[in-house]
C-alpha cells in the first residue's frame, strides 16, 4: 500500500512538473516578446519606413476606409478587399518584425521543402507569382484572393516567396502603433466621416481604427489584437521554419485553430509532439478524430496516417483502451454512413477501414481487448466485398493481415463452416443452433435459433455480441464471456442431496450453446 502511494505520488509530481514547465515556457516567451516590442517600434523609426510615397500614403487610404464597414440597413459586415500595394507594404512591416524577433530566414530549398511537407504546396521560385494563397476553407483551391480573413467567406494565409515566411494579411494599424509613428495622421482620422454611400446608394457605416482602440471587448480591442497579430506571425514562422519548440508552447495556448488545421486539414503528421496534442484534443469527437486518421489529398488520393497508430501504441494501456474504443466506434459509424467521403471509392474505403481495423486488432491483442474492429466490416453480407478487395490488393503487403482478418472477423465466435485452428492443419466445427439472450446477461430469457444464412454482428458490449441471424436478433456471449461464466459458477446442492455429490462432467461453453 505504501509502495503504491509512493508510485502514485511520483506520477503526480511528474505531471505537475510537466505542467509547470509548460507554463514557465509560456511566460518566458511572453517576457521575451515584451522586450522585443520596444525594439520593433524603434526599428520602424530608425529605418524610416514612413515615407510619403509608400507607407504613409497607403496608411491614409486605410484610415479613410476604416477598420470595418457595415451595410446600415442589414447590419451585415462587408468583406474587406485589399490591393497589391497593401500587401506589399504589409510584407515590408512583417519582414522588420521577424528580423527584430530573431527569426532565422531559411534557405530557398529549406523553405520549399517545409511548405511541401506541411501544406503540400509546390513553390516555383522562377514563377512570376510573388505570393501563394493557402485556403483553410478549401485547401485544393489555389486561387489568389485579395480579401481579409473573416473566418466565414475568407480564411487563409499567404506564402511570401521572396522573403521565405508566411503571414495572414493585416492592415498597417493591425501591426504597428500608427498614431505614434505617424502623429500627423491623427487629425485625418478624426475628420474622416463615419458614413458613405456605395454605388447602389446603400448607406455604409464606417468603424474607425481609433474606435477599436477604445473598445473594452478584448477580442475587438485594437491594442490587444495588434499585439496578438505580431506574436502570431513571429511564433508561427519560428515554429514551422526554425523548429523552435518554445514557439509551439505559445501557439498551443493562443493559436489552436492554426495548429489543428496543419493536421486535420493538410494532413501534416510528421511532428510527433504536435500530432499527440491534436489527438488528445480531438479523439473523443468521432468526426474530428476521422480528420486525423486519414487525409484526402488534392489529387483525390486518400492517405492512411500510420503515424497516428504508431503514437497510440506508445501510450499507457489505459489510454490505448480509450483510443481503441474510439477506433471501434468510428469503424462502426463509418459502416452505417452513406455520406462519407470514403463511399465515393470502395477500394479506398476498404483500404482505410481495413488498415485501421488491422492495427486496431493488433493493439487489442496486446492489451487484452480482442475482436474490436474487423467484425464491423462483416455487417453487410458477411464482409464478402471487403474480403475480395483485400485479396485483390494482396492484403496491402502486410504479412499477417489475412491471418488477423480470418481470426477476428467473426468477433470471437464460431460460425458455421469456420475452420478451427489446430496443429493438424484445420478442422471444421459446425454450429447448427445458437442460444440468443434478450440482454447481455446469462440470467435473461434465451431462445434457440437455427443458423440459416449469414450471421451479422451489429455491435459488441461487455463481452457479448449483438447479432442478427435468420431474421432474429439477440445477444450472443463471446468465448471470453463463456469462460468467465464457467469460472464463476459454483456447484449448487439440494438439501436432499448427498453430502458428497456425485461428480459430473462439466459441459464446455460451446456445448452449452448447442442444442
Amino acid at each position: 500500500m505504501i509502495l503504491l502511494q509512493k508510485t502514485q505520488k511520483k506520477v503526480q509530481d511528474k505531471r505537475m512538473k510537466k505542467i509547470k514547465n509548460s507554463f514557465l515556457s509560456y511566460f518566458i516567451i511572453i517576457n521575451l516578446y515584451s522586450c522585443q516590442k520596444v525594439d520593433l517600434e524603434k526599428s520602424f523609426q530608425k529605418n524610416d519606413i514612413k515615407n510619403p510615397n509608400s507607407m504613409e500614403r497607403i496608411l491614409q487610404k486605410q484610415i479613410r476606409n476604416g477598420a470595418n464597414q457595415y451595410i446600415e440597413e442589414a447590419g451585415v459586415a462587408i468583406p474587406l478587399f485589399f490591393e497589391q500595394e497593401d500587401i506589399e507594404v504589409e510584407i515590408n512591416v512583417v519582414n522588420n518584425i521577424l528580423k527584430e524577433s530573431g527569426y532565422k530566414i531559411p534557405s530557398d530549398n529549406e523553405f520549399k521543402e517545409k511548405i511541401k511537407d506541411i501544406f503540400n504546396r509546390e513553390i516555383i521560385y522562377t514563377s512570376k507569382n510573388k505570393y501563394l494563397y493557402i485556403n483553410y476553407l478549401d485547401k485544393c483551391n489555389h486561387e489568389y484572393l485579395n480579401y481579409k480573413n473573416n473566418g466565414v467567406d475568407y480564411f487563409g494565409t499567404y506564402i511570401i516567396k521572396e522573403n521565405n515566411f508566411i503571414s495572414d494579411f493585416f492592415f498597417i494599424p493591425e501591426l504597428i502603433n500608427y498614431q505614434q509613428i505617424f502623429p500627423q495622421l491623427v487629425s485625418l482620422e478624426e475628420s474622416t466621416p463615419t458614413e458613405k454611400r456605395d454605388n447602389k446608394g446603400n448607406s455604409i457605416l464606417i468603424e474607425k481604427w481609433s474606435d477599436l482602440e477604445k473598445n473594452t471587448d478584448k477580442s475587438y480591442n485594437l491594442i490587444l489584437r495588434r499585439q496578438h497579430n505580431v506574436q502570431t506571425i513571429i511564433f508561427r514562422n519560428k515554429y514551422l521554419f526554425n523548429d523552435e519548440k518554445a514557439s509551439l508552447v505559445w501557439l498551443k495556448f493562443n493559436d489552436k485553430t492554426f495548429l489543428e488545421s496543419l493536421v486535420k486539414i493538410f494532413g501534416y503528421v510528421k511532428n510527433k509532439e504536435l500530432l499527440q496534442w491534436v489527438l488528445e484534443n480531438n479523439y473523443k469527437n468521432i468526426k474530428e478524430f476521422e480528420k486525423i486518421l486519414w487525409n484526402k489529398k488534392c489529387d483525390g488520393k486518400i492517405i492512411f496516417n500510420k503515424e497516428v497508430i504508431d503514437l497510440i501504441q506508445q501510450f499507457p494501456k489505459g489510454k490505448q483502451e480509450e483510443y481503441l474504443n474510439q477506433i471501434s466506434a468510428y469503424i462502426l459509424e463509418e459502416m452505417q454512413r452513406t455520406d462519407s467521403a470514403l463511399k465515393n471509392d470502395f477500394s479506398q474505403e476498404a483500404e482505410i477501414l481495413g488498415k485501421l481495423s488491422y492495427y486496431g486488432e493488433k493493439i487489442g491483442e496486446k492489451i487484452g481487448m480482442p475482436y474490436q474492429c474487423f467484425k464491423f466490416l462483416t455487417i453487410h453480407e458477411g464482409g464478402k466485398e471487403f474480403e475480395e478487395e483485400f485479396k485483390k490488393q494482396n492484403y496491402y503487403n502486410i504479412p499477417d493481415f489475412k491471418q488477423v482478418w480470418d481470426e477476428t472477423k467473426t468477433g470471437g465466435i464460431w460460425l458455421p463452416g469456420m475452420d478451427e485452428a489446430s496443429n493438424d492443419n484445420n478442422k471444421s466445427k459446425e454450429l447448427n443452433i445458437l442460444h440468443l439472450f434478450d440482454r447481455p446477461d446469462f440470467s435473461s430469457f434465451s431462445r434457440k435459433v437455427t443458423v440459416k444464412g449469414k450471421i451479422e454482428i451489429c455491435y459488441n458490449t461487455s463481452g457479448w455480441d449483438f447479432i442478427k441471424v435468420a431474421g432474429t436478433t439477440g445477444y450472443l456471449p463471446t468465448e471470453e464471456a463463456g469462460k468467465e461464466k464457467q469460472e464463476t459458477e459454483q456447484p449448487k446442492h439440494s438439501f436432499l442431496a448427498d453430502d458428497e455429490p456425485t461428480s459430473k462432467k462439466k459441459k464446455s461453453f460451446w456445448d452449452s450453446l448447442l442444442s
Side-chain angles (χ1 to χ4, degrees):
M1 183 67 180
I2 296 175
L3 180 60
L4 178 62
Q5 290 176 342
K6 287 183 177 179
T7 303
Q8 291 175 337
K9 189 176 187 303
K10 285 182 179 180
V11 173
Q12 187 175 6
D13 291 344
K14 190 175 181 181
R15 289 176 179 171
M16 289 302 298
K17 185 177 180 182
K18 190 175 182 181
I19 294 172
K20 287 179 181 178
N21 288 339
S22 296
F23 277 102
L24 182 61
S25 300
Y26 176 67
F27 287 116
I28 287 175
I29 291 171
I30 295 299
N31 290 332
L32 284 173
Y33 172 73
S34 298
C35 298
Q36 290 172 353
K37 189 168 67 169
V38 177
D39 294 332
L40 286 174
E41 293 176 354
K42 288 181 180 179
S43 74
F44 288 120
Q45 300 289 349
K46 181 174 61 179
N47 294 327
D48 196 25
I49 293 179
K50 54 173 185 175
N51 66 75
N53 296 321
S54 58
M55 180 176 285
E56 186 172 357
R57 176 179 57 80
I58 295 169
L59 181 56
Q60 289 176 1
K61 177 186 69 174
Q62 294 180 2
I63 287 175
R64 291 192 182 97
N65 289 335
N68 295 295
Q69 295 185 8
Y70 303 90
I71 299 176
E72 183 177 15
E73 185 175 350
V76 178
I78 301 173
L80 299 176
F81 177 83
F82 63 86
E83 299 174 295
Q84 185 71 16
E85 62 178 7
D86 291 302
I87 192 170
E88 286 179 354
V89 74
E90 185 222 4
I91 290 171
N92 193 2
V93 173
V94 172
N95 199 44
N96 277 275
I97 289 173
L98 290 174
K99 181 180 177 181
E100 290 296 321
S101 73
Y103 173 64
K104 299 173 184 177
I105 302 174
S107 67
D108 289 351
N109 284 335
E110 291 172 338
F111 188 69
K112 180 179 180 179
E113 289 177 5
K114 278 283 190 177
I115 293 297
K116 179 67 176 176
D117 282 345
I118 299 169
F119 301 106
N120 198 29
R121 292 290 297 274
E122 193 73 43
I123 292 180
I124 303 175
Y125 282 99
T126 56
S127 170
K128 65 179 181 179
N129 297 324
K130 292 182 178 181
Y131 328 114
L132 299 179
Y133 182 67
I134 301 172
N135 194 331
Y136 298 127
L137 301 178
D138 182 3
K139 68 179 180 181
C140 299
N141 182 356
H142 297 170
E143 179 186 0
Y144 180 82
L145 298 178
N146 289 68
Y147 284 92
K148 181 173 168 54
N149 287 343
N150 61 11
V152 180
D153 305 298
Y154 306 100
F155 187 34
T157 196
Y158 297 85
I159 300 172
I160 313 302
K161 290 166 47 179
E162 292 183 351
N163 304 82
N164 289 351
F165 65 75
I166 65 170
S167 177
D168 294 357
F169 173 78
F170 297 105
F171 291 109
I172 297 173
E174 294 180 288
L175 295 174
I176 64 173
N177 188 338
Y178 68 103
Q179 293 176 330
Q180 180 178 325
I181 300 174
F182 300 94
Q184 67 273 24
L185 297 182
V186 173
S187 59
L188 171 67
E189 185 168 28
E190 290 176 349
S191 61
T192 298
T194 57
E195 186 177 352
K196 66 176 183 179
R197 296 280 176 178
D198 64 9
N199 296 332
K200 297 180 180 180
N202 295 316
S203 176
I204 306 298
L205 300 180
I206 299 174
E207 186 174 23
K208 297 182 179 182
W209 293 105
S210 57
D211 291 337
L212 288 185
E213 283 198 344
K214 303 170 187 175
N215 198 315
T216 56
D217 189 330
K218 291 183 178 180
S219 59
Y220 288 95
N221 182 273
L222 181 59
I223 297 174
L224 296 178
R225 274 176 51 185
R226 183 186 297 144
Q227 178 179 337
H228 185 270
N229 294 340
V230 171
Q231 289 174 315
T232 300
I233 292 170
I234 292 172
F235 296 128
R236 281 186 184 181
N237 283 282
K238 280 192 171 186
Y239 167 62
L240 294 181
F241 308 114
N242 289 171
D243 295 321
E244 187 178 276
K245 292 185 178 180
S247 294
L248 176 58
V249 176
W250 186 91
L251 293 171
K252 286 179 180 179
F253 281 96
N254 301 279
D255 203 5
K256 181 180 177 181
T257 300
F258 171 74
L259 284 182
E260 291 197 347
S261 73
L262 299 180
V263 175
K264 296 195 292 185
I265 295 177
F266 301 102
Y268 179 60
V269 292
K270 289 186 178 182
N271 187 292
K272 182 179 176 180
E273 184 179 355
L274 172 64
L275 178 58
Q276 181 171 345
W277 180 78
V278 176
L279 260 178
E280 286 295 298
N281 286 331
N282 292 272
Y283 80 96
K284 293 182 180 179
N285 184 317
I286 293 294
K287 290 184 178 179
E288 298 304 312
F289 189 36
E290 176 186 55
K291 298 175 184 177
I292 306 172
L293 294 172
W294 55 267
N295 187 265
K296 187 173 184 179
K297 302 302 180 183
C298 294
D299 60 3
K301 188 174 182 180
I302 295 177
I303 304 298
F304 175 73
N305 291 328
K306 172 65 164 49
E307 293 86 349
V308 176
I309 300 298
D310 294 339
L311 189 59
I312 293 174
Q313 289 175 331
Q314 297 174 22
F315 292 157
K317 181 183 176 182
K319 204 66 179 175
Q320 287 190 53
E321 291 175 354
E322 290 183 30
Y323 275 95
L324 182 55
N325 285 331
Q326 288 301 100
I327 289 173
S328 178
Y330 167 69
I331 294 171
L332 175 59
E333 182 174 299
E334 187 63 34
M335 288 296 296
Q336 297 172 332
R337 289 175 61 185
T338 57
D339 60 343
S340 168
L342 295 178
K343 299 298 181 183
N344 297 327
D345 187 332
F346 179 73
S347 180
Q348 290 191 338
E349 178 187 21
E351 179 179 356
I352 296 300
L353 295 185
K355 287 181 177 179
L356 186 58
S357 296
Y358 165 79
Y359 290 114
E361 296 292 358
K362 298 294 281 188
I363 292 172
E365 180 184 12
K366 291 182 180 179
I367 63 174
M369 290 178 62
Y371 315 121
Q372 297 296 311
C373 301
F374 265 136
K375 63 185 178 182
F376 294 124
L377 303 192
T378 66
I379 289 177
H380 305 298
E381 298 183 354
K384 181 180 179 182
E385 191 175 9
F386 279 98
E387 187 154 19
E388 291 175 352
E389 180 64 23
F390 294 158
K391 186 176 181 180
K392 179 181 176 182
Q393 299 301 329
N394 193 30
Y395 301 97
Y396 310 108
N397 297 315
I398 300 175
D400 62 340
F401 187 101
K402 183 179 186 303
Q403 179 185 352
V404 175
W405 160 254
D406 288 338
E407 292 178 355
T408 64
K409 62 185 177 182
T410 60
I413 63 173
W414 285 95
L415 303 182
M418 278 188 59
D419 289 336
E420 180 183 15
S422 70
N423 295 329
D424 302 323
N425 297 321
N426 291 332
K427 297 179 180 179
S428 177
K429 184 172 183 177
E430 297 289 338
L431 297 181
N432 299 318
I433 297 178
L434 296 178
H435 282 247
L436 295 186
F437 293 80
D438 281 354
R439 302 191 310 275
D441 184 349
F442 283 105
S443 64
S444 65
F445 176 78
S446 67
R447 57 191 176 281
K448 298 178 183 179
V449 178
T450 302
V451 176
K452 293 180 181 179
K454 299 290 182 180
I455 296 179
E456 294 186 16
I457 303 174
C458 302
Y459 61 85
N460 174 273
T461 176
S462 303
W464 292 71
D465 286 310
F466 186 77
I467 70 170
K468 180 178 181 181
V469 57
T472 304
T473 59
Y475 289 94
L476 181 69
T478 63
E479 188 172 2
E480 181 182 1
K483 288 179 179 178
E484 288 181 0
K485 179 176 183 292
Q486 289 181 357
E487 291 173 358
T488 56
E489 279 183 340
Q490 300 294 330
K492 298 179 181 179
H493 310 303
S494 165
F495 69 93
L496 295 175
D498 298 331
D499 292 336
E500 295 293 333
T502 57
S503 61
K504 294 183 179 180
K505 185 178 179 181
K506 193 173 185 179
K507 288 186 177 182
S508 69
F509 167 62
W510 290 109
D511 287 336
S512 68
L513 286 179
L514 295 174
S515 173

